[in-house]
Amino acid sequence: MRKYSIREAGAADIDGARAVMLDAVYRDFGTGYVPRWHADIIDPVPFYVAPPRHTLLVAVDEQDGTVAATAALDARGPEHPPNPHWLAERFPSGETAQLRRVYVRPEHRRRGLARQLVDGLLEFALADGGYRSVYLHTYPRSPGAMDLWRALGKVVCDERDEVPGGGGGVVHFEIPLA
């Protein structure tokens, strides 16, 4: 059985984290790199590592030292547009811990890595003391995402049912900040 280290990303982890994230947007989402959506992937340091209220966690395979999974948190709430106006108001920037880039390489899935990383992000948000809510959005086609997020939180908006024309097909969740 493989062992993993969960930790804040350091300088030596950035290239591996970037590779995990880029692989996910190409393989799992089929969108490829879209600059307006993925600038944080190309250079995650100013988005997640440098700001004191943000973090980037990685799961590192202890056998070979590679980054197997990523998870990030920042203080930016969902923007309108593209998200519904009421959602941006409910989860304002500065008060909202937004979970982002929770990705696990396919060969490392079904080992609890995403859950461990999310637990770490929630601990980080709680320790910060300034967040009043935890928000994320996901695409239903992302492998394993819906089951994980339903186990951890509640759907606050399913664009497929609640936004005219299905919106972007995104499902928005709130996770309790215990």
Side-chain angles (χ1 to χ4, degrees):
M1 173 167 258
R2 289 185 183 250
K3 292 185 180 183
Y4 300 89
S5 297
I6 306 293
R7 64 182 185 226
E8 285 190 281
D13 301 314
I14 298 302
D15 287 342
R18 181 183 304 109
V20 169
M21 293 183 224
L22 283 171
D23 285 351
V25 299
Y26 279 91
R27 179 192 54 247
D28 296 336
F29 303 135
T31 61
Y33 172 72
V34 179
R36 71 179 184 275
W37 299 338
H38 304 129
D40 61 307
I41 291 175
I42 297 302
D43 191 5
V45 173
F47 288 91
Y48 306 120
V49 179
R53 297 187 69 215
H54 299 186
T55 193
L56 172 61
L57 301 181
V58 292
V60 177
D61 183 335
E62 291 184 2
Q63 182 176 337
D64 62 14
T66 60
V67 175
T70 62
L73 177 150
D74 68 31
R76 296 178 292 143
E79 295 180 3
H80 169 75
N83 299 296
H85 188 267
W86 67 267
L87 200 65
E89 289 178 346
R90 179 174 174 167
F91 299 106
S93 291
E95 297 176 9
T96 301
Q98 184 167 177
L99 307 187
R100 299 178 182 265
R101 310 299 179 208
V102 179
Y103 302 142
V104 180
R105 287 194 179 278
E107 65 271 23
H108 298 281
R109 291 181 181 157
R110 311 293 309 157
R111 297 181 180 157
L113 293 177
R115 180 70 180 253
Q116 290 177 59
L117 288 164
V118 170
D119 288 348
L121 294 178
L122 295 174
E123 288 174 19
F124 181 90
L126 246 144
D128 175 85
Y131 294 115
R132 67 171 186 80
S133 60
V134 178
Y135 161 86
L136 68 103
H137 71 269
T138 193
Y139 295 93
R141 67 184 174 273
S142 180
M146 293 299 288
D147 291 339
L148 172 67
W149 301 126
R150 281 194 175 113
L152 293 173
K154 67 177 182 174
V155 173
V156 293
C157 178
D158 186 335
E159 291 186 11
R160 300 170 298 173
D161 302 327
E162 300 173 41
V163 174
V170 175
V171 180
H172 305 266
F173 285 83
E174 182 172 16
I175 296 179
L177 186 59

